[in-house]
Amino acid sequence: MGITGTFRASKRVPILQVAKASAATIAAWLIAGWLIPGQLPVFAAIAALLVVQPSVNQSFGKAIERSIGVILGVLVATAASLVFGVNSWIILVTIVIAMLVAWALKMTPGTSNQVAISAMLVLALGSSSPEYAVDRILETLIGAAIGIVVNALIVPPVAVEPARRDLSLLGGELAASLDRLASALENPQTPGDLQRLMVEARLMRPMRDAADASIATGEESLTLNPRRSAHRTELGEMRTLLDRLGPIVTQVIGMTRAFFDHYDAKLADEPTVRAIAEQLRRAAHDVRLAVHLADVDPEPLTSTFPALTSPLVIAPPRSGHWILIGSLMEDLRRIRAELVEEQPG
């Protein structure tokens, strides 16, 4: 990673976020300056700027963090100035005291930094009188409140599309992995083919984690969001679908691992193996169907009916294959249980 990677993100912040932060900062400066005349409303502007976050819930948390940090910092600065007087070296001492107080109270790193910064600003920009301290606290509360209001009123973001995208990618890759395993069961495989099959199956784990994180972000974005009622059901259905697909991911990886470990070129001659391959293709269809019915992937399907049949009844396999076939059958049974869970009998 180059040096620019330490301060540059992989993608830009949405321009709407920039507009909301700008509007909140300007509004906080004007309103706090009007309500509390005298000092420049620096504390209000900083509070509003920091409080505007990607979600309303995050804004509320940041407002609490900012307000507590400022209040404690102002109190520390006021107490230090009353005890030691007002000198330039007092600022440095106060910063250290503020950090130690925050550490003793087990505050988060963000709040701890805010305590020290607020104490420094109080001593560097203003006086140490109780009136000044109260004004700075009120100013911060005004700025934080304005940040929350602006973030809530100007198109609060709801992170539904990333969740839909990641869940669709997971469903597509899961179905593709089932199809690939079915083809591998029916055709001779080279060591390279087996290795590739295993690697592709394992890639589903980070995809499942990414879908889970995206849905969690979407759910978090609904908290305290006035637009939550329009999307709560949608995200709930995505969570339910992920809860169904997650175990299937585990089963498919396990089946691929078992095939990799116990591969035999004569496997394709087993009638049961070919029957299992057919069931895997049916399972792939039903995974695509589940994703489609959840309105995650709107692509039309060739069939909108479940394809899985009843569990297989198998003939005794050759002695060298019974462990693998038994393992595949058990995993296939579990996959079927997940896919038919919510379908009418």
Side-chain angles (χ1 to χ4, degrees), residues 164 168 172 285 287-304:
R164 180 183 289 110
S168 177
H285 169 272
V287 166
R288 294 187 180 98
L289 177 60
V291 174
H292 177 77
L293 293 179
D295 199 27
V296 172
D297 185 1
E299 293 296 323
L301 297 174
T302 56
S303 173
T304 56

Side-chain angles (χ1 to χ4, degrees), residues 185 259 262-270 273 321 324-325:
L185 287 170
F259 179 67
H262 301 281
Y263 175 73
D264 185 334
K266 296 180 180 180
L267 270 172
D269 298 333
E270 292 275 6
V273 169
H321 299 154
L324 174 59
I325 291 178

Side-chain angles (χ1 to χ4, degrees), residues 31 99 121 151 176 281 292 295:
I31 294 174
M99 295 176 66
L121 290 176
N151 206 28
R281 290 193 178 92
H292 177 77
D295 199 27

